[in-house]
Amino acid sequence: MDRPAADAGRRHRERGAAPAAGHRDRRALPGQRRRRGALDRPDALDDRRSHRAVASALAAAAPLHRRRDLRRRVAVAGAAAAPAARRDPAGCALGGAARAARGVARDGVELPRPRAARAHGQHRQHPRRRPSRGAARSLVDRAVPVGAAGGDHAGRLRHRRHLARHRRAPPTIGAGAVSTPEALLELDDVSVRFRLGRSRGDAEVRAVTDASLSLQAGHVLALVGESGCGKSVLASSLLGLLPANAQVKGHATVRAGGPVELLSASEAVLAGSVRGRRIGLVPQSASTHLTPVRTARSQIEETVRELRAGAGADELAERVGLRPRDLDRYPHELSGGMVQRVAVALALAGDPPVLLADEPTTGLDRPLIDRTTDLLAEAAADGRAVLLITHDLAAARRVATDVAVMYASRIVETGPAAEVFADPWHPYTAGLLDALPEGGFRPIPGHPPVLSDLDRLEQEWGCVFCLRSPDRPGFAPCSGVPDLVRSGARRVAAHAPC
Ligand SMILES: Nc1ncnc2c1ncn2[C@@H]1O[C@H](COP(=O)(O)OP(=O)(O)OP(=O)(O)O)[C@@H](O)[C@H]1O
Ligand code: NI
């Protein structure tokens, strides 16, 4: 890993420390101030250690009363819930990360104490939690058949030990400038809130919080996370497609073809020079975006005319692997995979340097998913920057060069896909991977928080990921909203060890 600039981590935090106007000032959180102070120590920046070890050092530096308060709240919550025998699988699901952190001991860093193995069973719902929309639609719920979590535990442990043995060396934390010379799209602290109106007591949904991303030519960046975490809202904000009750803050610049500041651009600019021209969109459920009474060809030709683009319909069809005669069919005469290809052809019609694909593989079977994601990879290979929004980690793993993991409106981990998938640093990323068949089909316990409650939850708890399974063995809550710390090309929310 390249040696990062010594003050880069500090610079990043300083930038992040200026919250978007109108948002709650994160600097006001006591835990936040402590975190910064601890990370700003030169020794903290220079040490080779995992973010978990850094986080545990930070947690140790936090005044004891604050940690005691949190522990007491957690203990009370746990006591009011279910008997200890109904342990959730998360202790294990998230334990791989802790094991990885223990591996750091070889390098002489003080680590969280190992914990004893516990019985596994059903997760206990946190009593504070309300049922959420995301709950019913969570990635993990969909990916894991009922009862799968109770399978061959010894086998899964062997598998996890094997994974732990092959984890990479601990990272250097706290510094590192990510150079993005070819960034075609740059997002800087983008935040989106929805006002729910008087009838809902002036409540707000915090859909995206301080999202910073960089999309480079030739890269596929996969934005992953469970349903409802804010992925689509983030993409829609870039194209000016949010409803009137949305408040958008931050900066997003598309650089190709002359820079355009997307979040402050007028509708005329977005319609005339961004949508379809600088940024193409492959929408979720493409079939509903096609007019049923017109052939694919007439719809592609209309788009080409509208965008005054050079490519003909047959050429676009060929580019996405359709035969010219397929274009003479009506949408209902095309298979799901072919409709998806028509959608990609439409997105490519104006030859945009940036492609946003929002769940482009929804409803497709695995071979069609592979073919569609391969198309996106080809678009990137042609020099485009592609943002692939998906809750399908297998699809992301297949084609992504980079990955950003989103949880409850915040990006909690980003980096080169191969590195993040092989060695996730944030327990949420590790949990998503564990929910895959090859990860042991182990669901993340609990549910994501309700986004209209995020302000209160973060003020009360700091890190809302901790809330997800507060009764798991070895639980130690974060003492504030974790900062994103940078190490080489990776960034991760400095979460306390779980
Ligand atoms: N117009 C709106 N008004 C209020 N809340 C909204 C609005 N649009 C979206 N939301 C909320 O914003 C949050 C993020 O939604 P978003 O569609 O971005 O999720 P997602 O991560 O793309 O999930 P999915 O996989 O379901 O598409 C959700 O909680 C959703 O209910
Ligand atoms: Ni936490």
Side-chain angles (χ1 to χ4, degrees):
M1 188 180 293
D2 290 345
R3 187 90 192 142
D7 66 338
R10 189 179 293 120
R11 274 190 275 121
H12 174 72
R13 285 189 302 283
E14 279 164 4
R15 193 174 56 96
H23 280 205
R24 183 171 58 79
D25 187 344
R26 290 170 55 200
R27 285 171 296 189
L29 283 174
Q32 195 79 346
R33 276 201 301 273
R34 283 193 294 274
R35 252 160 224 293
R36 276 201 191 93
L39 271 172
D40 280 344
R41 291 197 320 266
D43 57 345
L45 293 173
D46 289 340
D47 279 354
R48 287 186 63 77
R49 58 175 77 175
S50 81
H51 86 278
R52 260 162 241 295
V54 171
S56 78
L58 293 170
L64 282 175
H65 68 89
R66 163 83 172 159
R67 303 194 72 213
R68 262 203 309 271
D69 283 349
L70 279 166
R71 281 183 191 286
R72 194 165 44 236
R73 265 183 279 159
V74 170
V76 169
R86 291 205 277 124
R87 276 295 168 201
D88 82 42
C92 195
L94 303 177
R99 255 192 291 283
R102 281 205 290 282
V104 184
R106 289 192 296 273
D107 289 2
V109 177
E110 197 182 326
L111 296 167
R113 129 186 87 78
R115 57 179 190 258
R118 302 291 184 112
H120 284 67
Q122 201 188 342
H123 171 57
R124 175 162 73 216
Q125 176 88 12
H126 192 281
R128 288 169 189 272
R129 188 177 309 290
R130 295 186 208 147
S132 72
R133 167 187 176 272
R137 305 168 54 205
S138 85
L139 162 82
V140 180
D141 290 348
R142 266 189 261 160
V144 181
V146 174
D152 174 14
H153 180 59
R156 286 201 306 269
L157 277 181
R158 272 197 304 279
H159 175 67
R160 296 195 61 78
R161 266 182 233 120
H162 169 84
L163 287 180
R165 271 198 304 278
H166 290 84
R167 284 189 198 273
R168 289 147 36 83
T172 308
I173 281 293
V178 180
S179 109
T180 55
E182 295 169 289
L184 296 182
L185 179 66
E186 197 112 47
L187 276 61
D188 197 0
D189 284 343
V190 175
S191 298
V192 181
R193 283 171 181 260
F194 293 105
R195 284 183 306 267
L196 296 182
R198 290 260 159 84
S199 61
R200 304 282 298 273
D202 286 329
E204 287 187 342
V205 172
R206 208 171 86 198
V208 179
T209 308
D210 297 338
S212 295
L213 288 175
S214 171
L215 264 78
Q216 298 177 54
H219 286 232
V220 178
L221 170 64
L223 180 59
V224 301
E226 288 158 292
S227 256
C229 69
K231 307 181 297 292
S232 299
V233 168
L234 181 58
S236 299
S237 71
L238 304 176
L239 294 171
L241 297 175
L242 291 174
N245 67 331
Q247 270 186 331
V248 184
K249 301 266 162 61
H251 298 278
T253 311
V254 60
R255 296 199 198 290
V260 176
E261 172 52 51
L262 297 168
L263 303 186
S264 56
S266 66
E267 173 56 25
V269 168
L270 292 169
S273 66
V274 174
R275 290 186 215 124
R277 292 185 169 87
R278 283 182 170 83
I279 304 179
L281 176 68
V282 183
Q284 191 162 357
S285 53
S287 57
T288 59
H289 285 259
L290 295 179
T291 307
V293 295
R294 292 173 52 200
T295 63
R297 178 182 300 282
S298 78
Q299 299 187 55
I300 292 177
E301 282 174 348
E302 182 188 39
T303 305
V304 167
R305 264 198 313 278
E306 184 90 0
L307 296 172
R308 290 187 206 92
D314 287 350
E315 185 190 331
L316 284 167
E318 197 181 323
R319 222 189 283 172
V320 298
L322 288 170
R323 294 163 303 184
R325 68 168 187 267
D326 296 330
L327 296 187
D328 297 318
R329 299 194 196 172
Y330 291 91
H332 72 272
E333 296 174 317
L334 298 170
S335 70
M338 288 163 117
V339 167
Q340 208 59 49
R341 280 163 187 266
V342 172
V344 176
L346 284 167
L348 292 175
D351 198 19
V354 178
L355 263 193
L356 306 184
D358 190 355
E359 303 278 8
T361 58
T362 303
L364 302 184
D365 60 18
R366 189 51 64 186
L368 283 180
I369 290 174
D370 291 350
R371 284 170 67 185
T372 306
T373 48
D374 283 350
L375 269 183
L376 298 174
E378 280 164 27
D382 286 345
R384 293 186 180 81
V386 177
L387 180 68
L388 167 62
I389 293 174
T390 184
H391 59 256
D392 182 346
L393 251 73
R397 190 144 59 174
R398 189 178 147 78
V399 294
T401 50
D402 308 275
V403 66
V405 182
M406 201 164 181
Y407 180 72
S409 90
R410 290 182 186 274
I411 288 172
V412 295
E413 180 159 11
T414 63
E419 289 181 34
V420 173
F421 287 137
D423 179 20
W425 290 349
H426 196 282
Y428 180 62
T429 316
L432 288 177
L433 291 169
D434 285 343
L436 295 176
E438 57 271 39
F441 257 146
R442 206 190 317 268
I444 302 176
H447 304 290
V450 177
L451 298 189
S452 55
D453 223 10
L454 265 191
D455 286 348
R456 182 186 70 78
L457 290 172
E458 283 191 351
Q459 262 162 23
E460 205 170 320
W461 289 85
C463 161
V464 289
F465 183 73
C466 287
L467 264 181
R468 183 118 187 199
S469 47
D471 55 340
R472 67 183 175 274
F475 171 70
C478 291
S479 56
V481 178
D483 267 334
L484 279 179
V485 292
R486 179 169 284 175
S487 168
R490 297 181 65 172
R491 284 181 303 156
V492 65
H495 187 279
C498 287

